[in-house]
Amino acid sequence: MNKNTVDSLKVYWFALKAALYQHYTASQREVFKQFRLGSGLFFVGMVAIYGCYQLLDASLSREIGILISLVIVLGGFVVAMLAQIRLLIGRILHFIYH
């Protein structure tokens, strides 16, 4: 590796580190909006699963509706858990640096 490559990697690393620090130390209000979105999607998906199971007869359309609802539930769960992890890492960083 030549000196220019090493220098450009150092610049990239410091920029990435600063961006991650800014992301994880965002205000809790912003992160809570992300959590509300995830929990809302999770709730809507669960209601849709219940509605598909109760309102549709046993058929392929019921199974497709439940599958789509499960995808919504999974997406909501992932978004909510990522928000929780973001809050946890932000609190740890705040404890370490302040």
Side-chain angles (χ1 to χ4, degrees), residues 48-76:
I49 288 173
Y50 181 74
C52 286
Y53 186 75
Q54 293 294 324
L55 298 175
L56 298 176
D57 294 331
S59 65
L60 182 63
S61 62
R62 177 201 263 178
E63 299 301 323
I64 291 173
I66 290 175
L67 178 65
I68 292 170
S69 301
L70 281 173
V71 169
I72 294 171
V73 166
L74 180 66

Side-chain angles (χ1 to χ4, degrees), residues 7-41:
D7 289 340
S8 66
L9 285 175
K10 283 182 182 178
V11 169
Y12 176 76
W13 171 250
F14 287 123
L16 178 65
K17 188 176 167 184
L20 284 174
Y21 182 78
Q22 184 180 6
H23 174 74
Y24 284 115
T25 57
S27 70
Q28 289 187 356
R29 184 178 305 255
E30 180 182 333
V31 179
F32 189 67
K33 285 180 185 178
Q34 180 184 352
F35 178 75
R36 280 191 317 205
L37 172 67
S39 60
L41 284 174

